[in-house]
Amino acid sequence: MATSIDVSVIAPPAYLDAFVAQEPASVHHVAAQRVLSDAAYRAFFHREAQRGAEIIVDNGVFDLGHALPAADLVAAARAVEAREIILPDVMRDGAATVKASDAAAREILDLSDEFRLCVVLHAADDREWLRCYDHFASSDYVRAIALPASRRPAPEDQLCRTRWTATRYLEDRGMVEDRIVYRLLGLGRTGHLELVEQREHEWIASVDGAAPVILGAMGIAMLPDGPYEKPPTPRIENLGPIPEQRFDLIRHNIAVVRQAAGSSVRIPEAVG
């Protein structure tokens, strides 16, 4: 089993010091549009980068419905000393994802080659999933591949719908590329419990997620051994003010996720 998977906690900008700060600094997923528009957000992650964190800049598709232009992504990445940019993707559409990622990569590389470029693997069915993976794994510009969370119940043998099936498939068939960094995007329908299984794959580098913060803010504890049942939740940007009496529960949830991931990283305020 892998020693650990790094966990990047996603929280509203007002709570970065309370829940997102890391000791030691490891990996952070950051929103490009917030980097460009929020000076405090930008300063926080710049400090984390200077402390040694690997900063990964997301392109804005999930939050905005469209990706930021290449020039803005490069500007955001430079502002926080990022090492990686996540390229645009199209949910459940492998062909459109390939087209969007290829185009964005060309535009970014025309401006700079200083960042690792990460693609997100999407597909409508397993045949398309394999075509999408083969395209990206053989593309010179791809240096990282992110696997999105499995969010809805689906047949466990579907590569395009069940992430732990996909990672096992890649390993069993020797399809993991040494030159590529592999990441998990978000916690899926089994939440942190999936991470215990994913730690069997030593090539998975990180996972990001807002669930421990959102659930804790709603008064819901994540249990180390499960079960994991996630009710309908607001998006992180719609969470609103978090009562201080929920802070300990949120930190508990974050610790549960990191324990499942085998990570020894702590929130500085919680150390000791």
Side-chain angles (χ1 to χ4, degrees):
M1 182 174 288
T3 303
S4 71
I5 297 172
D6 285 326
V7 177
S8 171
V9 175
I10 309 298
Y15 303 99
L16 298 179
D17 286 316
F19 308 129
V20 176
Q22 299 171 348
E23 183 59 51
S26 59
V27 174
H28 291 293
H29 284 242
V30 308
Q33 70 275 11
R34 286 204 175 274
V35 169
L36 296 176
S37 64
D38 186 329
Y41 184 93
R42 181 169 61 249
F44 174 87
F45 286 110
H46 186 261
R47 288 195 301 271
E48 289 290 286
Q50 292 183 322
R51 295 181 59 238
E54 184 172 27
I55 307 297
I56 303 166
V57 169
D58 206 350
N59 58 69
V61 165
F62 184 79
D63 299 318
L64 305 174
H66 61 85
L68 295 186
D72 287 347
L73 293 177
V74 169
R78 286 174 172 162
V80 291
E81 297 184 12
R83 300 185 198 173
E84 184 172 315
I85 296 173
I86 299 178
L87 299 178
D89 56 297
V90 181
M91 189 76 75
R92 297 193 175 189
D93 192 329
T97 293
V98 165
K99 182 178 180 181
S101 295
D102 285 356
R106 286 192 298 270
E107 294 172 0
I108 290 171
L109 291 172
D110 281 345
L111 298 170
S112 172
D113 63 357
E114 64 196 278
F115 307 107
R116 183 192 301 124
L117 299 184
C118 176
V119 295
V120 184
L121 203 57
H122 281 293
D125 56 40
D126 285 359
R127 184 175 298 180
E128 185 176 84
W129 190 93
L130 287 168
R131 286 199 302 268
C132 188
Y133 180 81
D134 287 343
H135 174 84
F136 286 141
S138 60
S139 295
D140 290 340
Y141 76 80
V142 175
R143 289 293 179 267
I145 292 178
L147 302 169
S150 308
R151 300 196 182 279
R152 298 179 181 176
E156 292 209 355
D157 60 350
Q158 281 193 330
L159 303 175
C160 65
R161 295 288 178 270
T162 305
R163 187 164 59 185
W164 55 85
T165 299
T167 54
R168 189 180 304 117
Y169 183 95
L170 293 177
E171 179 152 310
D172 289 349
R173 286 160 180 78
M175 297 171 67
V176 178
E177 297 287 340
D178 290 341
R179 67 179 179 82
I180 291 175
V181 177
Y182 291 84
R183 305 192 186 283
L184 308 178
L185 285 187
L187 298 181
R189 60 180 180 269
T190 60
H192 59 291
L193 303 178
E194 179 194 353
L195 302 181
V196 177
E197 186 168 355
Q198 294 290 10
R199 284 170 59 199
E200 296 175 5
H201 308 305
E202 296 187 358
W203 40 274
I204 294 177
S206 70
V207 63
D208 73 300
V213 176
I214 295 173
L215 292 176
M218 295 172 65
I220 300 171
M222 298 174 72
L223 307 176
D225 299 319
Y228 180 80
E229 296 180 4
K230 184 181 176 184
T233 58
R235 291 170 64 97
I236 193 72
E237 63 269 22
N238 298 326
L239 192 58
I242 301 174
E244 192 168 348
Q245 59 265 33
R246 294 280 169 82
F247 280 24
D248 285 346
L249 179 56
I250 292 172
R251 292 187 178 115
H252 160 84
N253 286 352
I254 292 170
V256 165
V257 173
R258 288 202 164 112
Q259 179 182 8
S263 172
S264 60
V265 171
R266 297 289 183 266
I267 303 169
E269 296 90 329
V271 172

